[in-house]
Structure formats: C-alpha cells, structure tokens
Amino acid sequence: MTALPPGAAVPPPELRGVLSTRESDLAAAASDFGNLVHLRPLAVLFPADAGDVAAIVRYGRANGLPVVPRGAGHAVDGQAQAPGGIVVDLTSVARVRAPDDRNLISVDAGATWQAVAEATLPRGLVPPVLPDHLGLTVGGTLAAGGFGGSSHRHGSVSDQVHELDVVTPGGELRTCSPTRDRDLFDAVRGTQGQYGIITRAALGLHPAGRTAIRHRIGCPDPGTLLAAQVRLAAGGRFDHILGSAVHVPGRGWQFVLEAVAVFTPPQAPPPQPGIRPSDGPAPETDVLPYADYLGRLAPFERQLRAAGSWQNHPHPRCNVLLPGRHAAGIIADTLAGLGPEDIGESGSVLIYPVPNRRLRAPRLPKARGTTSVLFGLQRTAPPDDPAALRRMHEGNARLLARALRVGGAAYSARTPYHDTRITGGTAGMAEPLGPPAHEPVSP
Ligand SMILES: Cc1cc2nc3c(=O)[nH]c(=O)nc-3n(C[C@H](O)[C@H](O)[C@H](O)COP(=O)(O)OP(=O)(O)OC[C@H]3O[C@@H](n4cnc5c(N)ncnc54)[C@H](O)[C@@H]3O)c2cc1C
C-alpha cells in the first residue's frame, strides 16, 4: 500500500517497498520496548532496499517531514518514533549473505543478530562482539554502539565494522569505511540515527568454538566484582565476562560474576586458574552449546512475552557508563537505595567493565579515564502504578546526574536530538559536522 501521508503536500516517490498508513502499522511505530512514549507517525515505510530509504529521506527533506530509522524497537524513550513524520522500519531489509573468504559478512541493517549468528556459527565463525540480546537489529545496535560480554577483549560491536552503506540526511546512498568517507563512517556509529540511516554493514568474523563453559561466582560487593572482572580480563582466558546484581531476600544485593570460555570438543575446556576471588565461594559451572549461550536471553523473552510483561509493561531502563575509579562507590550507593521492587519482577542489574582503549569508534559514548563500567538498571515498572514509575524515573535521573558529574556517560539514551523531535520540534538528521551528540536529557 502506498498512500499519501496526511499532511504531506506532495505525493510520495515511487517505491519498491510499502509506505503504509495502516492503523496497526502506525500504532506499532508509535511504540517501543519502553512503553513510555507513544507518538504516531504519518506513515511507516517498509523499504524493499536502500534505494527506497534514500528516496523517502529525500521526500521527507523536501516536505519538511522528519524521517526516522527504526530497527527492532528496543529503545525505551521513543528514540525511533517520528511524530508527524515517517518511520523507516528497516526490519523489511534483513538479508544476511554468506561470509566471504576474508571472513567478512555483509548484512542488511534490519537483520537481527540471531540471524547473523545462525548464518555464521555453522561455519565456525562469529562476530567478535555480540550484544547479550540477539533480537536487536544490526543497524540499531551499531547506531547505539553495542556492548556485550566480549567487549572487554574486542570493544563495541561498532568497532568490528569494516564497511557501511548509509543514507545521508540529504538522501544520498554512500558506502563508507575507515578508508573511505571516514567522517560519515565515524559519525553514524554510536549516534542513534542522528547522522544517517545505516542500510548495510560488512562485519568482521572470527573463529567460534562450539561449546561454552560458564562459571558463575558470587562476590560480596561491587568492588570485589569489578576487581575480579578486571583481573580475569587481564588474564585473557575468558571470551565473555559479565556481571550482575541480584536481590536475595534477607541478604540484600548479591553480586555475580559470569566468566565464559569457548572451546570445541574433543578439545578439553581451557584451564581456569584464579577464577575464584580470594576466600570467595566456589563457582557454579555449566557447559552448554555456544549457540545456546549466545541466545541465552531468548527463553526469558518468550516467558515474559507469554506473561505480557515484555510487550506491555513500562521499562524505564537506565544504562550508564561509569569511570572505573568511581564505579564501585556509585553502584554500591545506588543499590543501597533500591529494593527489588525498584527493579521490577522481570528486571535485572548489569555490571561489567570495558577498557576504553578497546573503544575506537570516536562517537561511541564512554566514561572518562581508562575504563567504562557499564551499569544498567534494566527496570520493569508495574503497569498502572504512576507513583512507582515516577520513583524509577527519579532514581534514573539521580544516577545519570551523578554519572555525568564524575565523567560518565549515558548509553543508548534519549539525546537532545531525539528530544527536539519527541517534544514536537522538527529536528531531522544532521550532516555529520557538529560535535558528538551524547549529552543526554533527564528521563
Ligand atoms: C531487551 C534489551 C536488550 C538489550 N541488550 C543490549 C546489549 O546486550 N548490548 C547493547 O549494547 N545494547 C543493548 N540494548 C540496548 C540496544 O542496543 C539499543 O536500544 C539499540 O539501539 C536497539 O536496537 P534496535 O534494533 O531495537 O533499535 P531501535 O530501538 O529500533 O532504534 C534505536 C535507535 O537507533 C536508531 N536506529 C535504528 N536503526 C537504525 C539504522 N539502521 N541506522 C541508523 N540509526 C538507526 C533509531 O532511530 C533509534 O534512535 C538492549 C535493549 C533491550 C530493550
């Protein structure tokens, strides 16, 4: 269906895909994982190819309509919404090609990491960094930056990109890389769609084992957790290093380090000396197919979808990158003021350090100093409880303000670029000339 978006003076261009004004498509585009912001666009484009994306960007520009890319819609603050504009839903452009003989894989921006993993793992290959949740799109993740359990070793997902196809704010389709159109290449990674729409990426791959051995170790406090994570990362034996805080009734917040090594039987699992923090408890260990480890959040998603929480409950998440030397104190103080009800039944708390020297994409948010500690309050608010939601928002604002005061940064957060659009301004994409746009607004 190609319809004239109401309010647009000029008919839309010829497109190979679908420009929809169907109620269900507008409603879906006015929603995201956050369930906090709901702003209807005039139309949603399901492009057939990058040419459609370029044509609609030119059309939007000529008609004063903001054109906003959307991936899997995991943003929580309306970042992929376009009130009075056109949402480009890239999930209709999701081809994953076969890896080539240089171990590069070319994937369309709307492909999920699940699809990428399914194309590469059977060949014994995998992107060096994958997000923890494989349901995100490649384009949306590169636009945020993309952290995962192997970031301690390889940096962000957007550091693994060899080449991108990007539709510029002027509606031109360009190919960019570290050696070609470098400004554009640098501008679009980590800036959430502000400087262009990624339509394809060539990603580096490296050898993947078939089996994961996972150790989970309890730590008494965030300082011990972070020190153990840094020590294990320096040892270089683990492929994935993560951490979380879990609220245990009667004991308060407990900290769990997760360290994973990947191998291929009949090779034996790599030896893991020094995994246990001094006088800490013995680790819990399990062995599972690497594909299952990478897709470990999918069963939780299925459960939460079945319960309706995934798609219906508000998710006022807050992810900050804390400077290493302030991280333990801020995490301890923040959690001291929170009970399990402040994270929510299906929520979680993530903690893991990433060395800044691994983060090479210049506009990727990072904390000042040598280490960025990702601290994520992945909250779920009860539905229909405005007081609880307000408390969570206020807590997020306090955490963010404190993080910024000590040289931290917001991750994957709403920025002034999104804010102008969301609050009724017409800010569209910008040419990549301005300063990095990472100053977040208060939630
Ligand atoms: C359940 C869950 C798990 C998550 N896990 C991780 C994780 O492990 N690691 C991590 O780093 N982050 C994680 N995130 C945060 C996530 O990376 C970001 O929200 C990411 O941007 C979402 O990707 P998406 O495809 O859903 O994008 P969307 O939410 O659709 O879009 C997010 C932003 O990117 C822009 N955008 C989308 N597609 C493109 C494109 N093709 N070109 C340019 N701009 C684009 C949008 O306009 C918007 O500003 C998670 C979020 C959730 C809700």
Side-chain angles (χ1 to χ4, degrees), residues 7 13 22 54 86 190 197 240 242 251 254 258 283 287 299 316 327 373 380 428 437:
R22 226 166 46 183
I86 300 172
I197 301 181
H240 299 258
L242 290 157
R251 291 173 60 204
Q254 306 294 303
E258 180 170 308
V287 175
V373 174
T380 302

Side-chain angles (χ1 to χ4, degrees), residues 33 68-76 79-80 90 109 131-133 136-137 139-141 143-144 146-148 192-193 196-198 310 317 411-412 418:
F33 185 78
V68 176
R70 176 186 170 100
H74 285 75
V76 295
Q79 293 98 314
L90 285 136
D132 302 329
H133 178 48
L136 312 175
T137 65
T141 309
F147 291 105
Q192 297 189 80
I197 301 181
I198 300 165
W310 182 276
R317 292 179 155 212
Y411 177 64
S412 181
H418 300 110

Side-chain angles (χ1 to χ4, degrees), residues 21 25 39 46 50 58 71 125 129-130 133 153 156 158 186 201 205 210 219 229 252 277 303 340 376 382 389 397 432:
T21 54
D25 292 330
L39 298 164
F46 298 96
R58 290 194 297 273
L125 296 167
V129 187
L130 282 167
H133 178 48
R153 191 179 271 176
S156 73
S158 63
D186 287 345
L205 300 172
R210 282 210 303 275
C219 298
Q229 289 171 319
Q303 267 173 28
L389 184 58

Side-chain angles (χ1 to χ4, degrees), residues 146-166:
F147 291 105
S150 56
S151 288
H152 69 281
R153 191 179 271 176
H154 300 290
S156 73
V157 179
S158 63
D159 291 311
Q160 316 304 322
V161 182
H162 287 241
E163 188 178 87
L164 293 173
D165 286 350
V166 175

Side-chain angles (χ1 to χ4, degrees), residues 292-380:
D292 291 0
Y293 175 72
L294 292 175
R296 64 199 176 278
L297 297 189
F300 294 111
E301 175 175 348
R302 279 196 293 276
Q303 267 173 28
L304 295 174
R305 279 191 187 279
S309 156
W310 182 276
Q311 58 281 41
N312 298 324
H313 290 194
H315 294 108
R317 292 179 155 212
C318 180
N319 288 294
V320 290
L321 295 161
L322 298 170
R325 68 196 183 91
H326 294 282
I330 294 180
I331 294 169
D333 290 353
T334 304
L335 293 179
L338 301 181
E341 69 285 359
D342 296 305
I343 298 299
E345 245 174 64
S346 57
S348 61
V349 178
L350 261 189
I351 304 166
Y352 56 88
V354 180
N356 282 346
R357 68 177 191 286
R358 305 276 187 221
L359 302 175
R360 296 174 305 278
R363 288 179 184 252
L364 193 80
K366 52 169 119 49
R368 200 182 295 148
T370 56
T371 308
S372 294
V373 174
L374 182 65
F375 178 40
L377 300 178
Q378 319 296 15
R379 306 191 200 234
T380 302

Side-chain angles (χ1 to χ4, degrees), residues 60-416:
R61 192 176 168 107
N63 290 279
L65 298 171
V67 174
V68 176
R70 176 186 170 100
H74 285 75
V76 295
D77 287 312
Q79 293 98 314
Q81 297 182 27
I86 300 172
V87 168
V88 180
D89 186 329
L90 285 136
T91 56
S92 59
V93 186
R95 195 167 144 216
V96 177
R97 296 154 192 87
D100 68 14
D101 51 15
R102 294 167 302 161
N103 283 354
L104 290 183
I105 188 166
S106 172
V107 297
D108 290 341
T112 62
W113 294 105
Q114 180 64 42
V116 175
E118 282 167 11
T120 60
L121 285 175
R123 296 173 157 88
L125 296 167
V126 73
V129 187
L130 282 167
D132 302 329
H133 178 48
L134 301 185
L136 312 175
T137 65
V138 168
T141 309
L142 296 176
F147 291 105
S150 56
S151 288
H152 69 281
R153 191 179 271 176
H154 300 290
S156 73
V157 179
S158 63
D159 291 311
Q160 316 304 322
V161 182
H162 287 241
E163 188 178 87
L164 293 173
D165 286 350
V166 175
V167 172
T168 66
E172 202 188 332
L173 177 60
R174 299 216 301 246
T175 299
C176 56
S177 73
T179 54
R180 179 175 173 188
D181 216 341
R182 176 81 197 230
D183 284 352
L184 184 63
F185 186 68
D186 287 345
V188 292
R189 292 176 297 150
T191 49
Q192 297 189 80
Q194 177 162 3
Y195 298 113
I197 301 181
I198 300 165
T199 57
R200 183 193 63 90
L203 306 166
L205 300 172
H206 74 177
R210 282 210 303 275
T211 303
I213 180 162
R214 169 169 58 183
H215 307 276
R216 278 183 279 217
I217 306 126
C219 298
D221 53 63
T224 309
L225 169 68
L226 289 167
Q229 289 171 319
V230 168
R231 182 169 50 78
L232 294 185
R237 289 174 185 271
F238 290 98
D239 299 288
H240 299 258
I241 297 179
L242 290 157
S244 56
V246 181
H247 197 276
V248 179
R251 291 173 60 204
W253 291 101
Q254 306 294 303
F255 298 85
V256 183
L257 184 157
E258 180 170 308
V260 175
V262 183
F263 65 104
T264 298
Q267 180 198 346
Q272 317 293 356
I275 190 170
R276 189 171 170 178
S278 54
D279 71 12
E284 279 176 23
T285 297
D286 62 346
V287 175
L288 65 170
Y290 189 38
D292 291 0
Y293 175 72
L294 292 175
R296 64 199 176 278
L297 297 189
F300 294 111
E301 175 175 348
R302 279 196 293 276
Q303 267 173 28
L304 295 174
R305 279 191 187 279
S309 156
W310 182 276
Q311 58 281 41
N312 298 324
H313 290 194
H315 294 108
R317 292 179 155 212
C318 180
N319 288 294
V320 290
L321 295 161
L322 298 170
R325 68 196 183 91
H326 294 282
I330 294 180
I331 294 169
D333 290 353
T334 304
L335 293 179
L338 301 181
E341 69 285 359
D342 296 305
I343 298 299
E345 245 174 64
S346 57
S348 61
V349 178
L350 261 189
I351 304 166
Y352 56 88
V354 180
N356 282 346
R357 68 177 191 286
R358 305 276 187 221
L359 302 175
R360 296 174 305 278
R363 288 179 184 252
L364 193 80
K366 52 169 119 49
R368 200 182 295 148
T370 56
T371 308
S372 294
V373 174
L374 182 65
F375 178 40
L377 300 178
Q378 319 296 15
R379 306 191 200 234
T380 302
D384 309 320
D385 187 346
L389 184 58
R390 196 174 49 248
R391 237 187 8 256
M392 290 185 184
H393 274 142
E394 287 167 359
N396 289 347
R398 278 195 301 277
L399 170 60
L400 190 52
R402 188 162 175 202
L404 295 178
R405 269 201 309 278
V406 298
Y411 177 64
S412 181
R414 183 167 146 182
T415 68

